[in-house]
Amino acid sequence: MAATIAEKIFSMKCGRSVRAGDVVMAPVDAAMIHDITGPLAVRVFREMGGERVYDPERIIMLFDHQVPADSIPAAENHVFMRQFAEEQGIHNYDLLEGVCHQVVMEKGRAAPGEIIVGTDSHTCTYGAAGAFATGIGSTDMGFALKFGALYFRVPESILVEVEGAFGRRVGAKDLILSLAGDIGADGATYMALEFTGRAMREMSMAGRMTCANMAIEMGAKAGIVQPDAATWDYVTARRAIEPFDLAGDADAGYRERRRYDVTDLSPQVAVPHNVDNVVNVTDVAGTKVDQVFIGSCTNGRYEDLAEAAEVLGNADAFADGVRVIVIPASRTEYLKSLRAGLIERFVEAGALVEAPCCGPCMGGAFGLLAPGEVSLSTSNRNFRGRQGSAQASVYLSSPATAAASALYGEITDPREV
């Protein structure tokens, strides 16, 4: 029978044909926990009588949300997790590598056809590698740590066909913001977004990660980019695995089929206080900003920083009165950017370049906003209070739009710089 990618993955893992709507107990190929949600998952694991995790080699542990520890409770969480890792024989990336979703991808911990869970809603990022990856709660993670499997309802899928070629200084972030505006914050609830089409095939892995990362902002359970040669080149450079074909069938039973053409797409901006409240940059151009954040698991890769640096060009400095925070998504991405001269260029222009971490994105560590302040961010959420005060405003954009806005101190169309 014809099947979607999600249905094929669950069928492979369950050893039988399954369809959307079926409830199955499926094995998980990897389980990711970090410093914020990990401690609760471990406590649940122990409450369930857990003594040994199902397979320490399949557990991915690292710290990224509050690093270095910014409070005594954060430091205590780190110690708690380090002790659990040592006790269980789990390799702990600790605070050395960067943001969890970037690290999982660059370490080759995600591959086509796998089922991966993580105690973080943006675990769906790994769909860029062709995996079914989804965020779960700490209670479910406690179960997964003990048994290596979890109950799932196989999701329906929306086929997202993206055609055309991006214009100058328009890219993956603009695409996924436009999709969020079109589909809505709950338009894909508990579904899988299956990305395909020319624009996706020509997109870098960095761009694909941006798109998969924000599937959850439409309520999706997962966002999966159909694996192709670029996917396999990325994955096989990081681990030993034999490539195979994985694609949704043309006559599969998709819940919806949506077609987009990026040829005439303009830079997009999500305005406060919802991710699906999306407009063309020209609709909000001129809005004053107090802070610009370039980074996060959505847009903290080398390609994103290079995009921002290209807009910066030979300008002497960012606008007076604007705090510019740049955070590479991982140590690897930091070093790539450093060796390319990007870090030096940002610092010369007046930016604060921080060590790889979540930074202002979660609003719990540094770079917080005061009441009445406005931030333009390349991250993935702009809910009220997300980056500090509930009386502050957060706008979301691409790195190109963020850099252009940092130059002028107001939201600016990067095509005009």
Side-chain angles (χ1 to χ4, degrees):
M1 292 176 63
T4 66
I5 290 181
E7 289 172 329
K8 289 186 176 184
I9 291 174
F10 277 99
S11 294
M12 287 190 294
K13 293 300 175 183
C14 294
R16 60 184 176 85
S17 178
V18 301
R19 288 292 176 263
D22 291 349
V23 175
V24 300
M25 174 70 82
V28 297
D29 292 282
M32 187 279 297
I33 52 179
H34 57 57
D35 52 315
I36 294 293
T37 53
L40 180 55
V42 171
R43 292 186 180 98
V44 171
F45 164 78
R46 287 175 171 160
E47 288 171 2
M48 291 179 174
E51 296 182 358
R52 307 297 304 176
V53 296
Y54 77 105
D55 184 348
E57 292 187 0
R58 293 179 182 267
I59 310 300
I60 304 165
M61 181 189 296
L62 76 172
F63 309 154
D64 60 359
H65 280 60
Q66 290 179 283
V67 296
D70 57 6
S71 66
I72 293 175
E76 291 172 339
N77 279 341
H78 293 181
V79 170
F80 178 85
M81 295 300 288
R82 288 178 184 125
Q83 291 173 341
F84 182 72
E86 184 175 0
E87 166 197 307
Q88 297 289 326
I90 298 169
H91 176 72
N92 179 18
Y93 292 106
D94 210 281
L95 49 69
L96 303 176
E97 294 294 343
V99 183
C100 56
H101 307 309
Q102 176 64 27
V103 174
V104 168
M105 288 289 290
E106 70 185 26
K107 297 296 184 184
R109 305 298 295 268
E114 294 187 333
I115 295 177
I116 305 174
V117 295
T119 48
D120 188 287
S121 57
H122 293 103
T123 297
C124 49
T125 305
Y126 322 146
F132 182 91
T134 192
I136 61 174
S138 294
T139 300
D140 283 340
M141 181 57 77
F143 186 95
L145 291 175
K146 182 176 180 180
F147 296 105
L150 199 62
Y151 276 111
F152 296 89
R153 176 164 59 85
V154 180
E156 295 179 295
S157 295
I158 297 176
L159 183 66
V160 180
E161 298 178 274
V162 188
E163 304 296 344
F166 289 109
R168 176 174 175 266
R169 292 180 176 170
V170 180
K173 183 61 169 292
D174 301 299
L175 167 63
I176 199 63
L177 285 176
S178 70
L179 263 61
D182 183 52
I183 295 174
D186 59 357
T189 299
Y190 210 96
M191 299 181 200
L193 295 180
E194 188 176 310
F195 297 99
T196 187
R198 172 193 167 189
M200 297 304 303
R201 289 191 296 272
E202 295 179 352
M203 189 180 291
S204 67
M205 287 299 292
R208 297 178 189 194
M209 290 171 68
T210 296
C211 291
N213 174 272
M214 291 190 66
I216 184 63
E217 308 310 332
M218 289 157 270
K221 189 70 174 172
I224 307 172
V225 181
Q226 181 176 307
D228 58 11
T231 314
W232 286 111
D233 286 346
Y234 183 91
V235 174
T236 56
R238 291 162 170 78
R239 63 189 274 190
I241 182 172
E242 188 67 29
F244 60 92
D245 292 332
L246 179 62
D249 296 319
D251 55 345
Y254 291 99
R255 173 68 176 269
E256 294 180 51
R257 296 171 185 259
R258 290 175 174 261
R259 187 179 178 88
Y260 299 89
D261 191 317
V262 301
T263 303
D264 296 320
L265 182 66
S266 299
Q268 303 288 290
V269 176
V271 304
H273 296 281
N274 291 295
V275 182
D276 63 345
N277 194 6
V278 179
V279 300
N280 290 331
V281 67
T282 52
D283 294 334
V284 288
T287 302
K288 299 291 185 183
V289 296
D290 299 291
Q291 178 169 293
V292 172
F293 168 41
I294 301 173
S296 82
C297 58
T298 313
N299 283 123
R301 286 166 276 283
Y302 166 79
E303 292 85 347
D304 301 310
L305 303 191
E307 179 181 312
E310 188 274 328
V311 175
L312 174 59
N314 295 319
D316 291 333
F318 293 117
D320 290 340
V322 178
R323 308 185 299 275
V324 180
I325 301 174
V326 178
I327 308 179
S330 72
R331 180 170 63 167
T332 297
E333 299 300 296
Y334 191 112
L335 287 171
K336 264 197 258 184
S337 302
L338 182 68
R339 289 163 181 157
L342 304 184
I343 302 299
E344 181 179 6
R345 187 69 193 91
F346 290 135
V347 173
E348 287 176 341
L352 297 175
V353 180
E354 303 290 345
C357 66
C358 296
C361 180
M362 67 162 284
F366 58 85
L368 306 185
L369 302 174
E373 286 197 306
V374 174
S375 168
L376 182 64
S377 174
T378 67
S379 55
N380 46 44
R381 286 185 175 155
N382 63 342
F383 305 145
R384 193 182 298 274
R386 173 73 180 184
Q387 291 186 18
S389 171
Q391 284 72 54
S393 297
V394 178
Y395 293 74
L396 304 177
S397 77
S398 71
T401 299
S405 304
L407 277 173
Y408 289 90
E410 59 187 34
I411 295 179
T412 300
D413 188 336
R415 298 169 300 180
E416 297 180 356
V417 177

